């Protein structure tokens, strides 16, 4: 494509982690193609993180009421034709959605990364790549249409009340460790007892302030309570008490976050906060925190041998190893050693 497109519609509904990966892509479009009109069809919950990025039209998709959401999108877009539709999701829901959008070019994933008949819903595909990080795969979409630069900028909008919330809870002068213990996939979660052991050691040996963060789901609230019950020291439990924006403010003021493969790890990346990622069920080279690979505890290769009797390289790229006990391959000492190395690096 020679000239920048006049209009781009982006379909990326979820999840929070993948939405954060998409932010520098749209920032790049805004910087280098400032006259291109951007529309982003996004999940209702995920929109809470990015809805205030200026210069983007957001159309929210409520996954709890898909039929009504499809109807709403048809009403809002039927009279329009975009130059490019970026189909950056391969779920059946997103594939169906792509049929409702009029565009001269519908661009999706290559056949190897296609599923749910994705290749039938697109006209062109991005270049095949066997071992790409998710963020790099998103950049492949705009590279395909001629934009080869990158603007690795997130620039989250964080309101004053969120900063005030963080200021009330973060203790100045102490090494501040956030533990965000839960992924949306339970088999990617570490045990409460091991989180508690790491938290106790951080407080004792590093004089750290440990803050537990998470949403208000039953699983997350229970995890926070279990971690506290196993601890001998005292952590600040804010699980269920913050919002996405307040959490961003906490992350910005923290020195490190400990998290499994989840959205918070990638939110921290956009703020420059180091992430000690806990990876055994998934491959951090594909879905780990983009700028914190050196801090991740990576037991994915061990998990491949343990549960598949194969080497990591023998598995299809992106294979999840979500088996009971897989996260037990990560030890307390693994995490403590990363935490102390990061503290000494400050």
């Amino acid at each position: 494509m020679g000239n920048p497109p006049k209009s781009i519609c982006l379909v990326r509904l979820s999840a929070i982690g993948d939405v954060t990966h998409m932010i520098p892509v749209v920032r790049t479009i805004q910087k280098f193609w400032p006259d291109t009109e951007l529309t982003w069809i996004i999940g209702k919950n995920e929109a809470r993180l990015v809805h205030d990025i200026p210069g983007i039209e957001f159309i929210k998709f409520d996954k709890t009421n898909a039929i009504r959401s499809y109807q709403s999108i048809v009403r809002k877009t039927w009279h329009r034709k975009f130059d490019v539709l970026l189909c950056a999701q391969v779920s059946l829901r997103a594939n169906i959605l792509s049929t409702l959008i009029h565009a001269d070019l519908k661009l999706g994933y290559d056949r190897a990364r296609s599923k749910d008949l994705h290749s039938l819903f697109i006209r062109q595909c991005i270049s095949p790549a066997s071992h790409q990080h998710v963020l790099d795969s998103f950049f492949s979409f705009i590279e395909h249409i001629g934009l080869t630069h990158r603007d690795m900028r997130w620039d989250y909008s964080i309101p004053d009340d969120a900063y005030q919330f963080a200021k009330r809870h973060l203790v100045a002068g102490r090494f501040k460790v956030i533990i965000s213990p839960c992924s949306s996939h339970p088999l990617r979660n570490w045990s409460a007892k091991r989180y508690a052991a790491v938290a106790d050691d951080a407080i004792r040996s590093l004089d750290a302030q440990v803050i537990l963060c998470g949403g208000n789901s039953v699983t997350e609230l229970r995890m926070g309570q279990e971690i506290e019950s196993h601890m001998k020291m005292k952590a600040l439990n804010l699980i269920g008490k913050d919002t996405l924006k307040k959490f961003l403010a906490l992350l910005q003021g923290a020195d490190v976050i400990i998290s499994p493969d989840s959205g918070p790890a990638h939110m921290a990346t956009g703020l420059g906060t180091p992430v000690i990622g806990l990876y055994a069920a998934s491959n951090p080279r594909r879905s780990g925190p983009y700028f914190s690979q050196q801090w991740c505890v990576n037991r994915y290769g061990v998990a491949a041998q343990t549960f598949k009797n194969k080497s990591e390289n023998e598995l299809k790229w992106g294979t999840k190893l979500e088996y009971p006990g897989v996260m037990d391959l990560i030890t307390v000492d693994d995490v403590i050693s990363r935490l102390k190395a990061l503290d000494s690096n400050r």
Side-chain angles (χ1 to χ4, degrees):
M1 182 173 292
N3 297 320
K6 293 180 180 178
S7 60
I8 293 175
C9 181
L10 166 63
V11 175
R12 182 70 223 188
L13 304 177
S14 60
I16 286 288
D18 290 322
V19 165
T20 64
H21 292 323
M22 190 59 74
I23 295 173
V25 177
V26 300
R27 292 296 194 192
T28 298
I29 295 171
Q30 289 180 317
K31 179 176 180 179
F32 294 101
W33 289 346
D35 295 327
T36 297
E37 295 179 358
L38 268 174
T39 298
W40 187 344
I41 301 177
I42 188 171
K44 179 181 177 181
N45 290 331
E46 290 76 10
R48 293 178 298 144
L49 181 66
V50 297
H51 69 94
D52 44 13
I53 296 178
I56 301 176
E57 174 195 17
F58 288 95
I59 300 178
K60 299 175 186 177
F61 188 96
D62 184 356
K63 286 169 277 189
T64 65
N65 196 334
I67 298 299
R68 181 171 294 179
S69 290
Y70 288 132
Q71 293 170 339
S72 174
I73 287 167
V74 169
R75 285 195 302 271
K76 292 175 180 177
T77 65
W78 71 271
H79 60 289
R80 303 159 66 182
K81 189 174 187 181
F82 298 94
D83 287 347
V84 182
L85 175 64
L86 303 182
C87 306
Q89 191 159 344
V90 294
S91 68
L92 181 60
R93 182 185 290 119
N95 290 336
I96 293 172
L97 182 56
S98 70
T99 67
L100 307 178
I101 308 297
H102 303 294
D104 290 327
L105 170 61
K106 293 188 177 183
L107 179 64
Y109 284 98
D110 56 286
R111 188 171 294 276
R113 287 178 281 189
S114 175
K115 65 178 182 179
D116 290 336
L117 303 177
H118 177 73
S119 59
L120 300 180
F121 295 85
I122 62 173
R123 297 192 191 122
Q124 291 185 30
C125 61
I126 60 174
S127 299
S130 58
H131 293 86
Q132 266 190 330
H133 191 280
V134 173
L135 187 149
D136 294 321
S137 74
F138 288 170
F139 268 105
S140 294
F141 280 84
I142 60 173
E143 289 165 1
H144 184 91
I145 57 175
L147 184 49
T148 56
H149 301 289
R150 290 193 180 191
D151 185 11
M152 297 298 288
R153 176 173 54 94
W154 280 258
D155 285 356
Y156 293 114
S157 175
I158 304 176
D160 288 342
D161 69 305
Y163 281 121
Q164 291 301 318
F165 176 85
K167 186 176 180 181
R168 287 196 303 272
H169 291 97
L170 297 176
V171 179
R174 294 182 70 183
F175 183 53
K176 291 173 279 293
V177 179
I178 289 179
I179 295 178
S180 179
C182 291
S183 164
S184 58
H185 301 263
L187 290 173
R188 297 182 196 174
N189 292 342
W190 212 31
S191 74
K193 191 172 184 179
R194 294 189 184 194
Y195 278 123
V198 169
D200 279 339
D201 187 85
I203 295 169
R204 278 194 303 261
S205 63
L206 301 175
D207 188 32
Q209 180 192 15
V210 174
I211 308 106
L212 307 180
C213 290
N216 60 3
S217 69
V218 172
T219 298
E220 290 165 289
L221 292 168
R222 184 179 295 129
M223 174 67 90
Q225 293 166 357
E226 290 180 7
I227 292 171
E228 286 190 294
S229 72
H230 288 296
M231 288 185 64
K232 297 179 175 62
M233 312 297 283
K234 180 66 176 174
L236 173 62
N237 187 353
L238 295 180
I239 292 178
K241 298 177 182 177
D242 60 4
T243 62
L244 277 177
K245 296 294 188 177
K246 290 176 180 177
F247 180 60
L248 284 172
L250 288 169
L251 278 174
Q252 193 167 69
D255 294 290
V256 62
I257 177 174
I258 301 171
S259 174
D261 186 1
S262 65
H266 306 299
M267 292 166 68
T269 294
L271 294 163
T273 302
V275 183
I276 297 177
L278 310 182
Y279 283 79
S282 53
N283 187 344
R285 294 195 295 128
R286 177 185 178 274
S287 60
Y290 197 74
F291 295 127
S292 290
Q293 294 283 323
Q294 74 272 32
W295 301 118
C296 288
V297 179
N298 181 3
R299 295 292 175 265
Y300 182 74
V302 177
Q305 289 288 356
T306 302
F307 293 94
K308 290 286 193 179
N309 197 29
K310 293 182 178 180
S311 72
E312 174 183 340
N313 293 332
E314 291 178 287
L315 298 180
K316 181 181 177 181
W317 186 250
T319 297
K320 301 294 190 298
L321 301 173
E322 294 175 343
Y323 297 98
V326 66
M327 293 298 286
D328 292 339
L329 296 172
I330 298 172
T331 69
V332 170
D333 286 343
D334 288 333
V335 181
I336 288 174
S337 66
R338 294 290 198 286
L339 199 54
K340 290 183 176 177
L342 197 149
D343 176 59
S344 66
N345 234 33
R346 288 192 296 157

